[in-house]
């Protein structure tokens, strides 16, 4: 892959998924005009379509294999980086932006335009070639969700949101629906609706209906108007514009790209409501001051901030919305008529969430205008919490209803109910799932193996969203009846109930397989940052060792053969000895006697420790030997035991020299162990 393709990858990654998009809904919108702007703005000489077209393997069953190989090579270098197939996906969006009726094609003809765009021939790339690109879109969406909004909020539809006849091309079409001009117009449209006191946010279907009733279609792009007329694609358009409405903070413009948006969330703790801010960007100060005396203080090493200077959450502040500006940061919360709280793993308390989470408990608060919609949803889908809590709790906003704990044990029923009810709850869909993945579980030594789990603490399997469940979940190649209930309910599937044996395991679904391992324990080996060994020159090893770099490491000789070494039963004991001692002795229990030499001071002492006093200490190691360490200073002896054991001075060394040393230092300690050494020395000296 040449520098031209890599240049386009880096330009698209920075333009659409750079950190300046933190907290913002991100559309990967590319048409002919945008392509020219990017080419000139980033100094790219080769046009995008020409660059991508050079790497297609036309006539091959897998024409995009070279681009996929490049993506995997880049992923090995940077696992958290933007997936390296953006130039190809950008071309797929450009093809979608050209889908209009002309003399040759209908507005719905996509693949002919895509093929003509990249090859100059409308028949070279057909629909049967497009499936890998569909998978790339899902990988991109999963990556964006994994960044938790730090690279922009994902606007790609889940597979379940797409009409069956658009299951592959719908991802590219979704990004071509709202142009930049459309997004600039949205706040004006939203404000015109809010001026009439409408409950906010409105569901997307209601917003589309208002566009048609008010005759505002002419303010939107041709792509938007075409999608508005298509019944099959209209539900996703409703979802997309509804998400923008939910993120609108009430100002005359959406928070500009490049300005970090801090989300203002409601927290329920110790029977009171308060504010907490969440920043999608990781590069922020621990203290941030905004207009109006609002101050954000970071909560430990998290993305959350304590908020002071705002009125407490109430019926008024929740329904009006809040916005405060600072330097390159906006703290905002859109108005809402339904507030959903769930347990936050980081905060450890109830906090606001974007949507319902199947299988988890929620606290649901509803304004009077939304109580009918909330009750309809709970009656249709909730397992618990259907009846409103009538107790008079001081923290509940005045006039609002309270339901707790609300749980939805069947995600399929929940999604269907949300589509039917719409209204004020129409935007509270569960988070989209794009690929088979593992979550939770008790990990053993992630540095050793990121997919190694404690036996009995296996993870849960999250299945991707699909239009219908026709595939079978296999664990180690077999279908497990114990998992059918969770699969049918659309919930994460727990693997711990299977009582798997320690070892490697696989989970496969819809042609995708992921692996993990279980064990009862794991030994974590120390990680070597530098490797020492012998370089090889002309087939011969160098006579002395050296640090091996990336070039010499693969061919160098490292490690040592320890097969003939005798094992050491006793661990090494390290003691600190004073440098200003007049004499240092070690009297071993077996009768051996050593004089410890004081090592020279290192050269770097005078550079780094010019004012250090002289009596610093040095280390002395004792390998598999026990006894007493004796220090003489100012004519007095002091002793410390080092695995002293029972003295048997006749077994080794020079017993008489050992006895004289012990008797000279017999006042070194009052411990019974040292008294035994002194007694043994007296018996030898008789």
């Amino acid at each position: 892959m040449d520098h031209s393709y890599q240049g386009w990858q880096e330009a698209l990654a920075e333009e659409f998924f750079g950190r300046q998009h933190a907290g913002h809904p991100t559309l990967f919108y590319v048409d002919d005009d945008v392509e020219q702007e990017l080419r000139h703005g980033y100094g790219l000489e080769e046009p995008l379509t020409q660059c991508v077209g050079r790497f297609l393997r036309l006539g091959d069953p897998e024409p995009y294999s070279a681009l996929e190989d490049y993506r995997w090579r880049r992923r090995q270098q940077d696992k958290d980086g933007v997936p390296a197939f953006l130039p190809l996906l950008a071309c797929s969006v450009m093809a979608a932006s050209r889908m209009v009726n002309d003399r040759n094609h209908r507005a719905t003809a996509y693949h002919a335009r895509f093929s003509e765009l990249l090859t100059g021939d409308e028949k070279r790339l057909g629909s049967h070639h497009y499936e890998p690109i569909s998978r790339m879109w899902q990988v991109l969406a999963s990556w964006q969700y994994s960044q938790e909004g730090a690279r922009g909020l994902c606007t790609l539809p889940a597979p379940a949101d797409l009409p069956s006849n658009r299951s592959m091309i719908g991802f590219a079409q979704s990004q071509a629906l709202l142009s930049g001009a459309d997004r600039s117009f949205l706040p004006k449209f939203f404000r015109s609706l809010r001026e009439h006191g409408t409950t906010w946010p409105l569901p997307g279907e209601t917003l589309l209906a208002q566009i048609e009733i008010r005759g505002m279609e002419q303010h939107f792009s041709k792509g938007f108007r075409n999608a508005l007329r298509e019944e099959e694609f209209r539900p996703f358009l409703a979802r997309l514009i509804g998400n923008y409405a939910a993120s609108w903070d009430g100002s005359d413009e959406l928070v500009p790209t490049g300005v970090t948006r801090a989300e203002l969330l409601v927290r329920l703790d110790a029977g009171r409501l308060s504010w907490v801010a969440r920043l999608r960007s990781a590069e922020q100060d621990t203290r941030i001051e905004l207009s109006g005396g609002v101050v954000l203080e970071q909560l430990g090493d998290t993305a959350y901030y304590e908020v002071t200077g705002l009125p407490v959450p109430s019926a008024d502040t929740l329904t009006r919305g809040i916005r405060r500006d600072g330097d390159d940061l906006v703290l905002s919360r859109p108005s809402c008529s339904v507030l959903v709280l769930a347990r936050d793993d980081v905060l450890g308390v109830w906090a606001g969430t974007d949507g319902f989470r199947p299988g988890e408990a929620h606290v649901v608060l509803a304004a009077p205008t939304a109580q009918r919609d909330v009750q309809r949803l709970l009656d249709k889908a909730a397992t618990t919490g259907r009846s409103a809590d009538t107790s008079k709790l001081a923290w509940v906003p005045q006039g609002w209803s309270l339901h707790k704990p609300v749980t939805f044990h069947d995600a399929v029923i929940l999604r269907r109910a949300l589509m039917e009810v719409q209204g004020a709850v129409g935007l509270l869909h569960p988070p989209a799932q794009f690929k088979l993945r593992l979550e939770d579980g008790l990990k053993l030594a992630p540095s050793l193996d990121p997919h190694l789990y404690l036996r009995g603490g296996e993870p849960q399997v999250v299945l991707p969203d699909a239009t219908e469940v026709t595939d079978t979940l296999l664990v180690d190649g077999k279908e497990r009846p114990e998992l059918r209930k969770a699969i049918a309910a659309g919930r994460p599937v727990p693997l711990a109930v299977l009582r798997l044996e320690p070892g490697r395991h696989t989970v496969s679904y819809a042609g995708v397989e992921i692996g993990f391992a279980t064990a009862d324990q794991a030994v974590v080996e120390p990680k070597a940052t530098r490797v020492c060994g012998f370089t090889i020159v002309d087939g011969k090893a160098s006579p002395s060792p050296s640090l091996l770099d990336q070039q010499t490491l693969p061919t160098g000789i490292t490690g040592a053969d320890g097969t003939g070494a005798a094992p050491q039963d006793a661990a090494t004991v390290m003691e600190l000895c004073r440098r200003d001692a007049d004499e240092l002795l070690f009297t071993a229990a077996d009768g051996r006697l050593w004089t410890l030499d004081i090592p020279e001071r290192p050269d770097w002492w005078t550079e780094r420790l010019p004012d250090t006093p002289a009596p610093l200490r040095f280390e002395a190691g004792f390998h598999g030997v026990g006894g007493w360490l004796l220090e003489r200073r100012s004519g007095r002896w002091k002793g410390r035991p080092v695995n002293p054991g029972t003295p048997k001075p006749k077994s080794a060394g020079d017993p008489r020299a050992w006895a004289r040393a012990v008797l000279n230092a017999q006042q070194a300690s009052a411990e019974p162990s040292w008294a035994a050494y002194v007694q043994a020395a007296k018996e030898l000296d008789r």
Side-chain angles (χ1 to χ4, degrees):
M1 203 61 64
D2 65 6
H3 294 295
S4 177
Y5 187 91
Q6 183 175 335
W8 270 109
Q9 167 68 24
E10 293 173 354
L12 293 167
E14 174 62 26
E15 185 71 18
F16 295 102
F17 303 101
R19 298 192 182 278
Q20 72 274 18
H21 291 284
H24 299 262
T26 307
L27 275 175
F28 189 20
Y29 182 84
V30 183
D31 59 13
D32 295 286
D33 293 336
V34 172
E35 190 270 350
Q36 290 187 24
E37 291 175 5
L38 292 174
R39 199 187 334 157
H40 297 307
Y42 286 88
L44 301 168
E45 297 181 0
E46 189 173 21
L48 173 62
T49 55
Q50 181 178 319
C51 173
V52 174
R54 285 193 296 112
F55 297 102
L56 298 183
R57 293 174 176 172
L58 300 177
D60 192 291
E62 298 180 353
Y64 315 111
S65 57
L67 305 180
E68 292 184 280
D69 292 343
Y70 174 71
R71 180 252 169 160
W72 281 111
R73 292 197 301 273
R74 289 291 297 269
R75 187 177 186 275
Q76 291 175 348
Q77 300 171 8
D78 183 7
K79 291 185 178 181
D80 292 327
V82 189
F85 37 56
L86 295 186
L88 179 60
L89 297 188
C91 291
S92 71
V93 178
M94 289 181 67
S97 71
R98 297 182 178 185
M99 291 175 64
V100 294
N101 277 317
D102 57 25
R103 295 178 181 177
N104 300 318
H105 308 292
R106 293 173 298 147
T108 55
Y110 174 83
H111 295 290
R113 288 181 170 83
F114 182 66
S115 179
E116 188 176 31
L117 186 71
L118 290 179
T119 70
D121 185 339
E122 62 183 43
K123 296 181 180 180
R124 295 293 296 275
L125 296 173
S127 58
H128 59 288
H129 292 124
Y130 197 80
E131 187 173 348
I133 298 179
S134 176
R135 291 197 301 267
M136 292 177 192
W137 278 112
Q138 296 184 56
V139 169
L140 177 63
S142 294
W143 169 83
Q144 203 172 3
Y145 274 105
S146 73
Q147 302 299 306
E148 297 181 342
R151 298 297 190 91
L153 303 179
C154 183
T155 59
L156 299 184
D161 294 331
L162 295 171
S164 58
N165 63 338
R166 306 285 181 88
S167 59
M168 290 193 294
I169 68 173
F171 299 109
Q173 282 187 288
S174 73
Q175 302 303 286
L177 292 178
L178 289 175
S179 67
D182 293 334
R183 282 169 281 168
S184 299
F185 177 72
L186 286 179
K188 302 180 181 66
F189 170 57
F190 296 155
R191 180 172 290 280
S192 69
L193 297 178
R194 279 284 304 280
E195 288 176 350
H196 299 283
T198 307
T199 300
W200 199 263
L202 290 173
E205 191 60 49
T206 303
L207 293 170
L208 296 184
Q210 286 294 325
I211 291 175
E212 294 171 322
I213 292 171
R214 295 166 175 243
M216 304 181 76
E217 298 97 320
Q218 69 274 14
H219 295 289
F220 290 90
S221 64
K222 185 178 294 185
F224 182 92
R225 295 197 301 270
N226 290 338
L228 190 62
R229 289 191 290 266
E230 290 191 51
E231 289 301 321
E232 287 186 324
F233 212 70
R234 184 179 174 117
F236 172 70
L237 183 60
R239 177 76 61 82
L240 181 63
I241 196 172
N243 288 339
Y244 269 89
S247 64
W248 178 58
D249 60 8
S251 58
D252 289 334
E253 61 179 10
L254 299 174
V255 177
T257 300
V259 176
T260 301
R261 177 172 178 245
E263 299 170 273
L264 192 59
L265 306 176
V266 177
R267 174 179 56 186
L268 171 59
D269 185 19
R272 71 184 188 94
L273 297 179
S274 59
W275 297 114
V276 63
R278 179 173 61 192
L279 272 65
R280 304 287 189 176
S281 175
E283 301 172 1
Q284 292 297 336
D285 298 328
T286 56
R287 177 184 170 87
I288 303 171
E289 297 184 4
L290 304 176
S291 61
V294 177
V295 178
L296 309 184
E297 296 277 359
Q298 190 173 17
L299 294 172
D301 188 20
T302 72
Y304 290 92
Y305 286 71
E306 189 76 36
V307 180
T308 57
L310 287 177
V312 297
S314 63
D316 184 51
T317 54
L318 291 174
T319 54
R320 283 194 309 165
I322 294 175
R323 174 167 171 150
R324 296 291 187 275
D325 294 274
D327 295 334
D328 297 326
L329 183 138
V330 170
L331 174 69
S332 66
R333 173 179 176 79
S335 62
C336 72
S337 55
V338 179
L339 178 63
V340 178
L341 308 174
R343 297 292 297 187
D344 189 284
D345 294 335
V346 177
L347 296 174
V349 296
W350 298 95
T353 181
D354 296 331
F356 293 113
R357 305 171 186 171
E360 296 187 23
H362 305 81
V363 173
V364 180
L365 297 165
T369 53
Q371 289 170 9
R372 180 174 175 271
D373 294 329
V374 169
Q375 191 62 60
R376 288 179 59 206
L377 174 69
L378 299 184
D379 289 342
K380 287 176 176 289
T383 308
T384 63
R386 294 183 180 182
S387 300
D389 190 326
T390 56
S391 58
K392 301 297 182 181
L393 299 175
W395 54 269
V396 178
Q398 186 175 5
W400 286 45
S401 64
L402 167 67
H403 294 262
K404 67 175 180 67
V406 175
T407 56
F408 302 92
H409 282 145
D410 194 312
V412 178
I413 294 176
L414 171 60
R415 290 181 184 276
R416 188 181 303 125
L418 286 167
M419 292 297 294
E420 292 175 359
V421 174
Q422 285 291 321
V425 296
L427 300 172
L428 297 171
H429 288 259
Q433 306 297 335
F434 288 88
K435 59 191 293 189
L436 188 70
R437 63 183 177 88
L438 303 175
E439 71 174 12
D440 299 333
L442 299 176
K443 291 189 175 183
L444 274 176
S447 61
L448 185 67
D449 185 344
H451 302 299
L452 177 63
Y453 297 86
L454 179 68
R455 184 187 181 192
E458 292 84 358
Q460 300 183 103
V461 179
V462 178
L463 302 182
D465 293 335
T467 52
E468 55 185 11
V469 182
T470 57
D471 295 285
T472 302
L473 178 67
L474 302 178
V475 180
D476 295 334
K478 301 178 182 178
E479 184 179 4
R480 304 300 292 262
E482 308 98 304
L483 307 179
R484 289 175 184 168
K485 187 175 181 180
I487 295 173
R491 300 198 305 270
V493 181
L495 297 178
V497 300
L498 300 179
R499 301 183 182 276
L500 299 172
E501 292 296 321
R504 304 296 306 181
H505 302 280
T506 59
V507 178
S508 56
Y509 181 81
V512 179
E513 182 177 279
I514 53 178
F516 68 98
T518 58
D520 293 317
Q521 60 181 358
V523 178
V524 181
E525 297 291 340
K527 185 178 284 188
T529 56
R530 297 190 296 176
V531 178
C532 185
F534 297 85
T535 58
I536 302 296
V537 179
D538 297 330
K540 295 183 179 181
S542 61
S544 59
S546 61
L547 289 177
L548 304 182
D549 54 27
Q550 291 183 351
Q551 286 75 29
T552 57
L553 181 59
T555 59
I557 299 176
T558 60
D561 183 3
T563 55
Q568 292 186 353
D569 296 329
T572 300
V573 177
M574 192 68 66
E575 290 289 331
L576 293 177
C577 305
R578 295 184 64 104
R579 285 182 170 273
D580 61 340
D582 298 322
E583 191 174 0
L584 284 168
L585 301 176
F586 183 75
T587 55
D590 60 5
R592 288 178 291 176
L593 176 68
W594 287 280
T595 298
L596 276 67
D597 293 330
I598 299 174
E600 294 294 328
R601 298 177 183 178
D603 294 337
W604 52 263
W605 271 25
T606 55
E607 296 179 12
R608 303 184 185 179
L609 306 171
D611 301 323
T612 302
L616 290 174
R617 301 176 184 270
F618 68 94
E619 295 177 346
F622 301 91
H623 308 271
V625 63
W628 274 78
L629 178 64
L630 304 174
E631 291 182 349
R632 182 174 62 84
R633 295 173 56 238
S634 303
R636 298 182 60 182
W637 288 92
K638 289 187 177 181
R640 298 198 303 275
V642 182
N643 295 331
T646 302
K648 298 178 180 179
K650 294 182 181 180
S651 60
D654 185 349
R656 293 192 178 277
W658 182 90
R660 286 194 301 270
V662 171
L663 291 176
N664 287 338
Q666 58 184 302
Q667 306 300 325
S669 175
E671 290 189 21
S673 172
W674 178 243
Y677 274 65
V678 174
Q679 183 61 36
K682 289 180 178 179
E683 292 178 357
L684 283 172
D685 197 49
R686 287 177 182 173

